[in-house]
Amino acid sequence: MTDLDDRPAEPDLPEPYLEIDPYEKNWMRVSIVLLVAFAAAITVAGFAAGFQLPGPESRVDPRTLLDTEPWKTPGVFEVAEGEYEAYVVAQAWSFSPLEIVVPVGADVTIYVTSSDLQHGFKITDTNINMMVLPGQVSKLEYTFDEVGEFPYLCTEYCGQGHAAMYGRVTVLSQADYDARTADTEATDASGSEG
Amino acid sequence: MTLVDPELQTAAKPPYQLSPQERKFIGWHMIVAIAALFVGSLFGPLQAFEFSGLNLYQYIEPVFKSYYQGLTLHGVLNALVWTTFFIVGFTNLVVIKGLGRPLSHPKINLVGFWVMLIGLLMAAAPLLLNQATVLYTFYPPLKASWAFYLGLTLVVVGSWIEGVGFYLSMIAWRRDNKGVRSPFIAMAGVVNAAMWQIATLGIAIEILTMLLPWSLGLTDATDPQLARTYFWFTGHPLVYFWLLPAYISWYGMLPKQAGGKLFSDSLARLSFWMFLIVSVPVGFHHQFTDPGVPVVWKWIHAVLTYSVFFPSMLTAFTVIASLEYAARRRGGTGIIGWVRALPWNDPSVTSQLLAGILFMFGGVSGLTNASYNLNLVVHNTAWVPGHFHLTVATAVTMSFMGISYWLVPHITGKKLWNPKLAVAQAWVWFVGMIVFSNAMHMLGLLGAPRRTPLGEALYVPEEWEGHLLRVSIGGAILLVSLLMYVLVMLKTAIGPKADPADVPEVPIAESMRHPQLTPTWLDRFKPWLIVAGLLVVLSYGPQLVDQILNMDLNSPGTNFRPW
Ligand code: HEM
Ligand SMILES: [Cu+2]
Ligand SMILES: [Cu+2]
């Protein structure tokens, strides 16, 4: 406060102090309580309620991606009873595969990467929403408990064909799924014969 | 030397009046800013119309090649050019008027302005030639022409140079006025410039070390994840760089315009210092769905983001309290009824009040974005542009429009042309934005992606259609408001010189308590700058070092031009 000494004017001013209006003090308290509550809520959701976000999974070289397994043959694979892994490559301007077919109740771990530009991958009506960057693998897991079609859209601008870039997850009832599997096996077999 | 009491002398001294050169200099910032807003915003309605299937791009095809080229111009001209030029011009004004004397080194600011302008022209060329259709976030490996990156860099560097002009003026003033509180609006302007300087290091490094060498063919490829981290280091504080000048007006000018005083000088300063320290260390909240950022850092930035909410709450209280005080002095009564007593016939006041009202909704949707679990629902959907058209395109833009309703007459020495039309302009923007932004939020919740010409997308389900139509209707209303604004500005600028008594003064609000009673720690730059630097290092250091050490320049992009 010594600074003030070279200010002879207004000698009647009291020492400076932080004065906060009582209403404003309460408002500040409420704000802090709210913020702490919000922060606690996301913390609980994030670390206790099994909520997931994409995080470092693995890295790839986009220049050789399409010659490397599993990205060479993207698709969905059953890895254990009811558990699936889907590998999706985003490339200007389509996803491959264009369709992921699973039976209802399937627990699918989805891995996506890009061989060229940045893309987005969001499955409508689910919590699957991730950035897709060349060089990085994005991963999230989801259990499809409902029969139906869930389009996945590219949600990041990637050039002229961006609006045409989408595919879909088709969730079938177990019976339909089994019938379809039998069908594809049959065509595969007849295909190799002919 | 003199026998007159120095205090009486200052009291008797009329406020410093801007010199003709200063008026002109600020005026040039405004011309560039408003021209950018005009051209940039024209694409907004085109986008909005496209959503419901009215594709007007075919008519402008000879010049503008695509929805995306238009969207790039819309983002760059509005979010980067309109804001930056307006803010730097306005900061010149608040520093000069706040300190009550000319800038200490006006030549520095002149150089800064020219660098910004040259940068703008340099970036404009490839933008107009469709060689930089990379949107205003320019994520690699979308590769724009080098001129675009260099131009943007010059705009930023120019703003730094002007910033230096502000710091030196503030330092000189403080040297000459030891022990006196620096005037609030000048201090706040300088805080914003300093925050901007720290924040823009991110894109400066991104462009100079990665994008420019790559676009010049010196390197082959980029690391898109690291580029995003650099970008959002700047990208989030960017929004506070836009917002703080509006806050300067809400705290330091609007109360005067409304006939009142600033409720608390101390808390106004406190909130600016808090913005200085917490604006930067929160950028990962834009990267919640990025694959290459550890979840724990996302969480840390999410929590820090909530702390930015605190100074916003302080602002809400102080600004509303100042306005209530003004309104009651004007005879307003009732718990909320006093609002009616505010001078709603003043276009500058109306525009800023409406800006503040919609900003509350923008704040709510912003909190949603910042919760990293809810973010998964809305990330990269139409919700996000729905959100920031309430913030930057309304809270900020309408405040700046409101400021320009006294500023342009002030620096040109004219009367505002047709104030009634200006009041209507503000209301039309307000209504249009409610329609537009509500529909965008809804579309986002239904899963509609952003940055997408939804009118041509093949996956659009029927249930989106009503909302898409409302986007178009909102866009049409906003277009009308935009044209009204530009008309009022043009007619004011070319109108006849007015009687000086009719030319608006720069409104500078007194505070209720004498600013000398504000504690000194709220008027010191050094400690706050140190804390800001420390927080940046703590919140970004480990991740940045990690990402830089593990940098892999393996993404060349496409071997054809993707747009
Ligand atoms: C006439 C009023 C306006 C209308 C109708 C309008 C409309 C739109 C629409 C429909 C989009 C979304 C496009 C998409 O995601 O595909 C958009 C994006 C955007 N708008 Fe506006 N806008 C207007 C004014 C403004 C203003 C004044 C600003 C800023 C000051 C602004 C800043 C932006 C930005 C930054 C984007 C994002 C661009 C991107 O995703 O790269 N807009 N606008
Ligand atoms: Cu895309
Ligand atoms: Cu942000």
Side-chain angles (χ1 to χ4, degrees), chain B residues 29 33 101 154 185 254 256 305 363 371 447:
Chain B
H29 290 82
R101 61 193 220 177
L154 290 180
I185 55 170
L254 187 57
K256 166 86 171 184
T305 302
S371 324

Side-chain angles (χ1 to χ4, degrees), chain B residues 266-431:
Chain B
S266 305
L267 291 182
R269 288 175 204 260
L270 179 64
S271 76
F272 272 81
W273 292 123
M274 292 197 62
F275 281 120
L276 174 72
I277 62 176
V278 287
S279 287
V280 183
V282 295
F284 286 139
H285 73 211
H286 291 263
Q287 297 176 265
F288 285 151
T289 69
D290 277 22
V293 179
V295 176
V296 113
W297 287 100
K298 294 174 178 170
W299 173 77
I300 292 172
H301 281 220
V303 171
L304 281 166
T305 302
Y306 285 127
S307 62
V308 194
F309 186 58
F310 185 72
S312 294
M313 294 290 277
L314 275 188
T315 303
F317 188 96
T318 307
V319 170
I320 294 174
S322 309
L323 290 171
E324 182 175 350
Y325 171 77
R328 294 204 187 280
R329 274 188 26 173
R330 304 169 70 93
T333 50
I335 292 182
I336 330 198
W338 55 263
V339 170
R340 270 174 310 181
L342 291 168
W344 289 96
N345 57 349
D346 176 341
S348 175
V349 173
T350 299
S351 195
Q352 296 186 65
L353 293 176
L354 297 179
I357 292 172
L358 285 189
F359 187 52
M360 294 189 219
F361 295 94
V364 172
S365 58
L367 274 172
T368 311
N369 302 340
S371 324
Y372 64 15
N373 29 6
L374 296 179
N375 184 274
L376 274 193
V377 180
V378 298
H379 180 79
N380 268 0
T381 68
W383 167 286
V384 176
H387 157 73
F388 64 64
H389 281 80
L390 291 178
T391 54
V392 67
T394 298
V396 172
T397 295
M398 280 188 87
S399 295
F400 290 1
M401 287 170 164
I403 291 168
S404 70
Y405 282 146
W406 59 257
L407 190 151
V408 170
H410 179 80
I411 59 175
T412 52
K414 314 232 164 131
K415 247 168 88 169
L416 184 68
W417 179 79
N418 204 336
K420 283 218 175 79
L421 190 71
V423 171
Q425 182 273 325
W427 280 102
V428 176
W429 191 279
F430 180 75
V431 171

